Amino acid sequence: MNSETISTLADWLYTNRKQLEDKSQEFDAQKVYDILDSLEVLRKPIKEYFDMTEDDYYQNESDHRLTLQNPNNKLKDLHDRVQINHVDGSLAGHEINFTYNHEDPYAGGDYKAKTDIDLIDYSFTVIGAVYDNTIVADVRNSVSRDAILSIGLAANAVEEWQK
């Protein structure tokens, strides 16, 4: 995987967001999963996390950015998301600092696919820009595991919602 693949998917999501939201364009979550797995931030393939309990993830891999309040619930049912929203630091010095915010695509009760589509798009835009200007190890060593999981959870939720 390369930075162009990440940026191309982010651009495609942005261009097709309205069609994805009205379900006239099919969302291919596997493309998101492939990128996430290629980054090798998480220990397992992303799809293996969806049926993991919040407690298992919290105890074994979380960097504690996600709000995990229901230990026995499966991660695929989690409403909290950690979105990558900015990066600063020194690319040349390999000192990268991603910043994050929380998103909830279920705010107000009903699922809003737009929130998850935007989260994937924006997160990949930031990751792609960093990856384009440095090495993948810099991304891998700097980005939040919970943010990477959030991108996967968002992709899974959009795919399920479109069915």
Side-chain angles (χ1 to χ4, degrees), residues 63-89:
D63 53 29
H64 310 294
R65 291 185 188 274
L66 278 168
T67 303
L68 302 171
Q69 298 176 326
N70 300 297
N72 296 321
N73 283 8
K74 293 183 187 243
L75 288 172
K76 68 181 173 187
D77 298 324
L78 183 65
H79 290 193
D80 186 35
R81 306 274 194 266
V82 175
Q83 176 180 312
I84 302 166
N85 64 8
H86 183 71
V87 65
D88 61 24

Side-chain angles (χ1 to χ4, degrees), residues 14-159:
Y14 181 79
T15 302
N16 291 282
R17 67 191 181 285
K18 297 289 187 205
Q19 293 81 6
L20 292 166
E21 290 170 31
D22 69 16
K23 299 184 181 182
S24 64
Q25 174 69 51
E26 185 177 341
F27 178 76
D28 185 356
Q30 189 59 50
K31 289 181 180 179
V32 174
Y33 303 152
D34 290 344
I35 290 171
L36 297 176
D37 291 343
S38 76
L39 292 173
E40 298 178 349
V41 172
L42 297 172
R43 293 180 189 144
K44 302 175 185 180
I46 188 67
K47 289 200 234 180
E48 291 185 26
Y49 289 88
F50 302 152
D51 287 322
M52 183 182 288
T53 65
E54 288 184 18
D55 187 55
D56 190 24
Y57 178 72
Y58 182 85
Q59 296 297 329
N60 293 300
E61 196 159 354
S62 176
D63 53 29
H64 310 294
R65 291 185 188 274
L66 278 168
T67 303
L68 302 171
Q69 298 176 326
N70 300 297
N72 296 321
N73 283 8
K74 293 183 187 243
L75 288 172
K76 68 181 173 187
D77 298 324
L78 183 65
H79 290 193
D80 186 35
R81 306 274 194 266
V82 175
Q83 176 180 312
I84 302 166
N85 64 8
H86 183 71
V87 65
D88 61 24
S90 168
L91 295 175
H94 305 284
E95 296 173 12
I96 299 167
N97 303 306
F98 289 98
T99 58
Y100 309 92
N101 61 284
H102 287 266
E103 296 293 335
D104 181 355
Y106 299 87
D110 294 328
Y111 177 68
K112 293 172 188 64
K114 179 184 185 327
T115 302
D116 275 340
I117 293 165
D118 289 347
L119 180 141
I120 299 164
D121 168 30
Y122 203 74
S123 295
F124 277 168
T125 298
V126 175
I127 290 171
V130 173
Y131 191 179
D132 190 39
N133 291 289
T134 189
I135 58 175
V136 70
D138 287 346
V139 174
R140 190 177 294 136
N141 295 331
S142 303
V143 73
S144 164
R145 290 182 302 278
D146 287 2
I148 295 299
L149 175 67
S150 293
I151 297 167
L153 293 174
N156 182 64
V158 171
E159 182 177 62

